[in-house]
Amino acid sequence: MPIRLSGINSGLDTDAIVQELVKAYGLKTEKYEKAKTKLEWKQEAWQSLNTKIYGLYTNVSNLRYTSAYNMRRTSVSDATKATVTASDTAVTGTQKLNILKNAQAAYITGGKLGSSVTGKSKLSELGFTGETTITVSQKNGETKDITVNGDTTITDFVGSLKEAGLNASFDENNKRMFISAKESGVDNDFEILAGDANGGKVLGLLGLDTALTEKVNGVTQFTAAGQKYAQAYAFYNTDYDTTYADIKSMIDVYLEKQANNVLLKEENESYQSTIDAAKEENKEYQKTVDQNNKTVEAKSAYDELSAALADKGVTIAELQARDELKAEDLAIELGLTTAVDPDVELSEEEAAARAEAEKMIADLKKVTEYEKANGTEDAPVDWAAIDVAALEVETAETQAKIDANKDIITAEEAKITANNEKIAENDAAMASQPAEIRNIATLGTEEERIAAMEALANRAVEAAAILADPASATAGGATKINGSDAQIRLNGVLYENSSNTFSINGLTIDALGVTGDGEANEITITTTIDTQGIYDKIKDFLTEYNSVINEMTKLFNADSAKDYEPLTDEEKDAMSDTEIEKWEAKIKSALLRRDSSLDGIMSAMINSMSQSVEVNGEKLSLSTFGIQTLGFLNAKENEQYAYHIDGDADDANSSGKPDKLMAAIQDDPDQVAEFMKQLTTNLYQAIDKKMKSTSLSSAYKVYNDKELDKQMEEYEDLIKKWEDKVAEQEDFYYHKFSQMEVQLSKLQSQTNSLAGMLGNM
């Protein structure tokens, strides 16, 4: 902005004069700035209201479906044993439940270590200086090797266990390690195994070795930790060589049956290919047979009809041209009979004539259908050229081919059946083999199988030695609880799950404690319609609707604020903050007063809620269920469209009336649900229509936001235009005053020169 030095010669307050001269232009700018401010406030008012309308629209969308009202409530006769929740698909009624076993996560409590051991203690401090591998083997087949050495700390080992997928910690107060599976169930069980003698030593030093044998009723047997030896012991047969030979023999038999199954399945594929090819041929053969039969049948009908019409003076073509052809009329027309009273029983002669006419009509229909299917206008069917004898010969030959293929199909299917029986026998034989044999047989290479067989044979010999001398087995410092699945019996059917939570036919059952089996231990699950839940859902909907419609009504009926305009900075300076706040609140409250868009959406919502709907032939409305407005005379200001539920304890206006809504839900919940579905659908569609009714609004807007944005741009352009005009006028007047100052300066200089000359005379 240029620096202006004015009034030096004239002594005038040029700035004040210029501002007064351009004041009219400034008032224009101020006018549009105030209009822009009001428009901004109006946009904010609409945005706030539209958010609430859209929220109602979204919630109503979910109420248009039956699932919104399929609410269930479930109770259990013994809540200490189970908790049950029901979804909207749960069956109402009573069900019987037994909890046979709770799921258990596999858990190891380590033996107590020395009093000086901490998480920072190294294995070398505990007595191990070498290097070895510890394997975490999970029941699901996943394994993780952990390499440890003398520098490995207890904290390091715990971290490795966590990386292997377990929960693990070292309690320095109790000096024990605690390890568990992350999930319960048999499939999530795990073992911590030593790869060699050094590994066994490490597990012992960490208190994670478990006893391999125990005495039960005086009999020495393997513990859960020693099950790998118990399983291997089944293969023990005097010495290693015999043991290995037995294992190899079982593996060879398994592999032989497995290979035999592969060959049998390949044979079946070949047999099936032959069957498929024969069936495809028969499809084509059958088409020929069917077409020939149709042709022969049509030719026979044509010949018989032609013979019947030979001396009647009527052609087949003429009959085909008739719109309608009745047997009684045709019989008379062809002279087969004369008209008779329809109430009089036909004579044998009349009945025969009528039957002959009906036969002609049936033959005509066959001829016409054949001609439509096999002839054209340019190439009609040449009936004389049809050789029935040749067609019958071809049909017989083709049928013979079909029969031959059927014999082939039967023979091949018999072969497949025989092979499937052999496959089933082989599968049963393989499935009957011990798990160790099946696992070894599925290894990829012969080298891998040999190594596994040797390991199993060695373990069998070792198992025999352990049982022969139980003292040689480690006493073990850890206690292992194996993972187990939960078991329940619901309505007599057994279910198992890795966790204690079961989802069955709409029920979610959390098993808390064991009941035992049998009728005497059954607990009862009772599922009923959640009438209170349905009531609350309807009440919540009406509460939200009332909130929105009341605010809309208040905005539409607001007092006029036509004498109020947004304040300028100068006007604000002359008022207190409270006065400014009240002034602006007055304007904002009236921004949507008598707004046409607001009137449109209000009317649409009010009308949709007041409409009746038909359910099973009965006209129903909100008032049917004791839901109604208080009317203009009884309602509070701007709440005349709000709905109140008779008997609602939270509503002082209607709490003393009979509760029709709850009674209706209890009596016929399906009727209430169907009514609410239709009512909310009407409301949803009414709002949806308003959101899509004009190109002046964006998606999901019930007001003309695009039009308001355009008006905002116009105001900004007008303000810029008048600001430019003010600047132009200021420059114009400052230029004029500047020229005046220059002329006054020249005049002053001339005056001074003249005075000087006169003074020297």
Side-chain angles (χ1 to χ4, degrees), residues 235-256:
F235 298 95
Y236 178 70
N237 191 1
T238 308
D239 57 44
Y240 169 84
D241 292 335
T242 306
T243 303
Y244 181 80
D246 290 343
I247 294 171
K248 186 176 185 306
S249 175
M250 296 172 75
I251 295 293
D252 290 342
V253 170
Y254 187 99
L255 293 175
E256 179 184 356

Side-chain angles (χ1 to χ4, degrees), residues 60 63 537-545 609 676 683:
V60 167
L63 298 176
K537 179 160 288 192
I538 296 172
K539 179 178 176 180
D540 290 343
F541 156 64
L542 293 173
T543 299
E544 183 178 12
Y545 173 84
M609 290 289 285
M676 289 303 301
L683 178 59

